[in-house]
Amino acid sequence: MPRYEITIEKDACDGIFACLTRDPRFVEAPDGLATIDPDADPVYDCDGEVSDDGERVVAAFDDDRLEEARRAAAACPTDAIIVEEVDE
């Protein structure tokens, strides 16, 4: 399975939340912007590493849900989400 990273650029996020309907790992953060919570998905048990440095949220996964993440990124009208395959 590919290893991939999802990055949310907080400056670009407007809290429109189109991503939430494409991938349940995307959730609303207390600041009103999107974030990623691997435990938020009610169907799949996800393992992911998530960091938030105040400017961006970065999550790394190695599961078969890369296309869901890409759909969430494509739905973002402000292009705040970047999904990239990464080497281990």
Side-chain angles (χ1 to χ4, degrees):
M1 282 183 259
R3 182 165 173 80
Y4 60 97
E5 286 185 350
I6 304 169
T7 302
I8 302 173
E9 296 290 344
K10 290 183 156 192
D11 290 0
C13 181
D14 281 346
I16 296 167
F17 302 124
C19 55
L20 275 64
T21 63
R22 295 346 187 261
D23 186 331
R25 295 174 290 182
F26 288 82
V27 296
E28 183 176 356
D31 62 6
L33 302 176
T35 192
I36 299 170
D37 180 358
D39 296 326
D41 191 327
V43 177
Y44 294 99
D45 185 20
C46 294
D47 284 326
E49 304 158 16
V50 180
S51 65
D52 182 342
D53 69 5
E55 293 181 20
R56 67 188 49 86
V57 176
V58 178
F61 294 95
D62 59 357
D63 55 30
D64 61 354
R65 300 180 65 201
L66 176 59
E67 285 308 310
E68 285 180 56
R70 285 182 173 152
R71 283 193 293 275
C76 180
T78 62
D79 295 324
I81 303 169
I82 301 162
V83 179
E84 298 176 302
E85 287 188 58
V86 295
D87 294 326
E88 300 227 11

